[in-house]
C-alpha cells in the first residue's frame, strides 16, 4: 500500500513536522511511503501521478496564526482543482503548534476536514501537538516516554489507523511537562537566540 | 487609521470602495513571498520581517491601525491564500514572549494600541460547517492579535459587498 506524506513546514532546515513524519514513517515502514516537502519543491506531473496511487494522504504541518499556512492552502486548492484522487483516499493530518496547548490546532483541523469534503475524499484522523518547538530539545528522548509520552501515544494511534485505513477521533495533546517550565524555558531560548544575532534582550521589545 | 486587506482584483475593488487618505490598502500585486518560519521578525530584526518584498512591514502598519477590515474569499472556512499570506507575515506585531489568557498561552503584545477586526467573507458555496470554522478562526485570530473586538460576515459574492463595509 502506498502512503503519501506531505510536509507543510516552510522552514529551510530541520523542522518539527519533519521530526513527526520521521517517527510516523518508522511505525508504518512495511508500506511504501513517499515524503514531499511542498515548500522546497515544485511537484512535477510525474510526482502527482505517483501521489494519485496512494491509499492515504498524511499532511504534517505547523499551525500558522490559528490556521493552515498560506503556502499549504495554495497547494490544497491545487489538489482540489486537479480532482484526481479516488474518493476512498483517506486523509490524515498531524498539526503541531508553538503554544503549549495542542488543542489550539483544532481550527486548522476543521479547515482540513472542510477541504476533505470539498475535494471529495474520506476523513481519517487528526492529531494536534502542542509545544512543537520543544521537539528539537527532546531528540534523545524516544517518543512515548517522558515529556514525549502523550505525543508518542497519539502518533502510535494514528499510525495504527493509517495502516488499516481506518478513521479515528481527533487527538489533541501537550507534552508531559509543566506549562510554567515550558514558558520559562521558552523565554530563555528567545533571548539566547537573539544574543546569537548580536541583540540584547531589550532590543526584542523594539 | 483603517487598514484594508483584500484579495479582490483591482478593477472590482475600485468599483466597490472609495479609498481615502485615512485608509491603508493591502492588495495582491503578485510579489508576496510566503513566510519561511525563521522567526527573524522576533529575534533578528525585531518588529520587521526579513523578507524584502514590500509586505515586510505589517507589524508597524498594524500598530497604527484602529480598524482592520479583511475582505477574503472563504476557503475551507478560512482566509484565501493571499490574505492568509499577509496575516502569516504579520506576527512581528506581537512579541515572542508568552502570556496566559483564559488558560491558554498567547503572545504578549508589542504595541499598546489595540484595534478592531472586521472580516467580510465571500463565496458562492460556503457551507454551514465552513461558516462555523471561519467564525472560530476569526475569534482565535482576534485573541492572538489582541484586538478589542471582532466581527464576521458572509456574502454570496464580492459584488454584494457594495455599501456593506463599515469604515469608521
Ligand atoms: C507565521 C507563524 C505563525 C504562527 N502562528 C502560531 C499560532 O497561531 N499558534 C501557535 O500555537 N503557534 C504558532 N506558530 C508556531 C509554529 O506553529 C511552531 O513554531 C511549530 O512548531 C513549527 O513547526 P515546523 O517546525 O514544522 O515548521 C506560528 C509560527 C509562525 C512562523
Amino acid at each position: 500500500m502506498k502512503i503519501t506524506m506531505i510536509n507543510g513546514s516552510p522552514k529551510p532546515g530541520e523542522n518539527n513536522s519533519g521530526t513527526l513524519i520521521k517517527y510516523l514513517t518508522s511505525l508504518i515502514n512495511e508500506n511504501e511511503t513517499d515524503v514531499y516537502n511542498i515548500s522546497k519543491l515544485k511537484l512535477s506531473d510525474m510526482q502527482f501521478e505517483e501521489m494519485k496511487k496512494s491509499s492515504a494522504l498524511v499532511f504534517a504541518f505547523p499551525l500558522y496564526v490559528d490556521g493552515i499556512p498560506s503556502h499549504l492552502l495554495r497547494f490544497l486548492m491545487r489538489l482540489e482543482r486537479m480532482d484526481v484522487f479516488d474518493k476512498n483516499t483517506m486523509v490524515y493530518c498531524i498539526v503541531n503548534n508553538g503554544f503549549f496547548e495542542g488543542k489550539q490546532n483544532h481550527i486548522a483541523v476543521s479547515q482540513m476536514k472542510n477541504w476533505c469534503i470539498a475535494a471529495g475524499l474520506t476523513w481519517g484522523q487528526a492529531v494536534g501537538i502542542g509545544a512543537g518547538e520543544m521537539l528539537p530539545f527532546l531528540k534523545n528522548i524516544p517518543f512515548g516516554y517522558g515529556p514525549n509520552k502523550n505525543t508518542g501515544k497519539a502518533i502510535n494511534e494514528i499510525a495504527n489507523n493509517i495502516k488499516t485505513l481506518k478513521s479515528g477521533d481527533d487527538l489533541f495533546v501537550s507534552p508531559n511537562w509543566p506549562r510554567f517550565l515550558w514558558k520559562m524555558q521558552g523565554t530563555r531560548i528567545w533571548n539566547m537566540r537573539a544574543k546569537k544575532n548580536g541583540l540584547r534582550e531589550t532590543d526584542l521589545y523594539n | 487609521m483603517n487598514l484594508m486587506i483584500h484579495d479582490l482584483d483591482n478593477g472590482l475593488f475600485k468599483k466597490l470602495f472609495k479609498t481615502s487618505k485615512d485608509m491603508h490598502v493591502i492588495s495582491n500585486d503578485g510579489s508576496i513571498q510566503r513566510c519561511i518560519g525563521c522567526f527573524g521578525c522576533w529575534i533578528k530584526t525585531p518588529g520587521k520581517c526579513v523578507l524584502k518584498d514590500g509586505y515586510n512591514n505589517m507589524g508597524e502598519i498594524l500598530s497604527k491601525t484602529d480598524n482592520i477590515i479583511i475582505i477574503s474569499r472563504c476557503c475551507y472556512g478560512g482566509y484565501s491564500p493571499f490574505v492568509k499570506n499577509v496575516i502569516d507575515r504579520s506576527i512581528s506585531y506581537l512579541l515572542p514572549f508568552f502570556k496566559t489568557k483564559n488558560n491558554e498561552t498567547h503572545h504578549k503584545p508589542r504595541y499598546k494600541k489595540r484595534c478592531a477586526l472586521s472580516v467580510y467573507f465571500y463565496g458562492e458555496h460556503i457551507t454551514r460547517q465552513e461558516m462555523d470554522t471561519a467564525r472560530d478562526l476569526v475569534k482565535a485570530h482576534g485573541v492572538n492579535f489582541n484586538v478589542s473586538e471582532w466581527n464576521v460576515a458572509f456574502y454570496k459574492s464580492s459584488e454584494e459587498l457594495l455599501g456593506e463595509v463599515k469604515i469608521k
Side-chain angles (χ1 to χ4, degrees):
Chain A
M1 171 167 87
K2 192 185 181 71
I3 297 163
T4 296
M5 312 224 192
I6 289 148
N7 182 338
S9 172
K11 280 187 197 159
E14 264 184 56
N15 51 68
N16 305 320
S17 302
T19 304
L20 296 166
I21 285 182
K22 229 197 224 153
Y23 179 57
L24 176 65
T25 310
S26 75
L27 300 173
I28 55 175
N29 58 8
E30 67 272 24
N31 297 285
E32 185 192 338
T33 49
D34 292 339
V35 183
Y36 298 104
N37 195 321
I38 52 148
S39 56
K40 289 188 188 128
L41 162 114
K42 246 195 144 61
L43 293 190
S44 64
D45 289 346
M46 223 172 76
Q47 285 166 320
F48 277 115
E49 283 303 311
E50 276 304 308
M51 210 183 273
K52 262 164 46 179
K53 298 181 203 148
S54 43
S55 311
L57 300 173
V58 183
F59 294 89
F61 62 92
L63 184 71
Y64 270 19
V65 195
D66 295 295
I68 297 173
S70 66
H71 59 276
L72 178 57
L73 199 56
R74 281 200 179 91
F75 181 76
L76 290 169
M77 291 174 84
R78 189 165 163 210
L79 282 187
E80 187 202 333
R81 276 197 305 271
M82 288 197 322
D83 193 21
V84 289
F85 290 99
D86 184 280
K87 70 175 185 356
N88 294 318
T89 310
M90 300 294 290
V91 176
Y92 299 89
C93 59
I94 299 178
V95 197
N96 94 91
N97 66 325
F99 294 142
F100 191 79
E101 304 81 21
K103 185 83 200 119
Q104 292 202 37
N105 292 304
H106 80 276
I107 300 165
V109 169
S110 300
Q111 290 184 295
M112 287 303 298
K113 285 182 181 167
N114 296 334
W115 173 77
C116 188
I117 293 169
L121 309 184
T122 307
W123 180 253
Q125 187 177 25
V127 170
I129 293 165
E133 294 295 346
M134 255 179 92
L135 288 171
F137 299 91
L138 301 175
K139 272 208 183 114
N140 297 324
I141 298 170
F143 283 104
Y145 294 89
N148 277 335
K149 192 169 160 196
N150 291 344
T151 308
K153 264 171 77 179
I155 308 258
N156 290 354
E157 187 178 324
I158 202 173
N160 283 332
N161 284 326
I162 294 170
K163 279 198 265 193
T164 50
L165 297 178
K166 281 203 196 110
S167 301
D169 291 337
D170 301 333
L171 303 170
F172 296 99
V173 297
S174 301
N176 305 73
W177 194 252
R179 184 167 70 181
F180 80 92
L181 264 184
W182 162 85
K183 201 167 157 183
M184 271 166 50
Q185 289 161 330
T187 305
R188 263 205 16 235
I189 285 155
W190 288 127
N191 289 331
M192 269 161 50
R193 289 176 70 180
K195 210 166 170 184
K196 270 201 195 134
N197 292 326
L199 299 179
R200 281 167 312 178
E201 227 175 291
T202 47
D203 295 332
L204 298 190
Y205 291 87
N206 194 22
Chain B
M1 188 183 76
N2 288 289
L3 170 66
M4 194 181 262
I5 304 170
H6 76 90
D7 60 7
L8 305 171
D9 73 58
N10 282 328
L12 180 61
F13 180 79
K14 274 191 197 131
K15 252 196 249 163
L16 294 178
F17 304 104
K18 259 206 229 102
T19 52
S20 68
K21 252 191 162 165
D22 192 41
M23 166 115 84
H24 190 108
V25 179
I26 300 209
S27 55
N28 190 359
D29 67 10
S31 71
I32 192 165
Q33 294 179 44
R34 59 162 182 261
C35 167
I36 55 166
C38 70
F39 295 122
C41 60
W42 283 341
I43 52 161
K44 208 168 179 182
T45 53
K48 219 176 184 164
C49 174
V50 300
L51 302 172
K52 294 190 178 71
D53 59 357
Y55 294 92
N56 40 339
N57 210 11
M58 282 307 300
E60 197 190 335
I61 293 170
L62 285 166
S63 77
K64 294 178 180 147
T65 298
D66 300 290
N67 238 335
I68 311 174
I69 299 156
I70 293 179
I71 293 168
S72 174
R73 176 175 289 284
C74 189
C75 300
Y76 318 126
Y79 303 117
S80 64
F82 170 73
V83 170
K84 186 61 174 32
N85 203 340
V86 172
I87 293 166
D88 289 349
R89 294 278 303 281
S90 298
I91 61 166
S92 66
Y93 180 55
L94 305 168
L95 289 173
F97 305 111
F98 304 110
K99 68 176 184 192
T100 311
K101 193 175 174 183
N102 300 330
N103 203 26
E104 271 190 353
T105 25
H106 294 287
H107 289 293
K108 287 185 181 161
R110 183 183 298 278
Y111 302 98
K112 272 211 191 88
K113 186 179 166 81
R114 297 176 80 183
C115 53
L117 172 65
S118 305
V119 183
Y120 299 82
F121 283 112
Y122 66 89
E124 238 173 293
H125 306 290
I126 309 176
T127 65
R128 276 230 148 217
Q129 227 168 306
E130 286 171 337
M131 283 187 194
D132 287 342
T133 309
R135 284 192 201 96
D136 285 348
L137 175 71
V138 174
K139 179 177 173 192
H141 176 198
V143 171
N144 253 336
F145 276 51
N146 196 35
V147 303
S148 52
E149 55 179 303
W150 64 84
N151 43 74
V152 187
F154 298 93
Y155 295 85
K156 287 236 153 39
S157 79
S158 45
E159 276 87 357
E160 279 184 20
L161 287 164
L162 186 67
E164 286 290 311
V165 175
K166 284 184 218 93
I167 294 162
K168 284 180 197 161

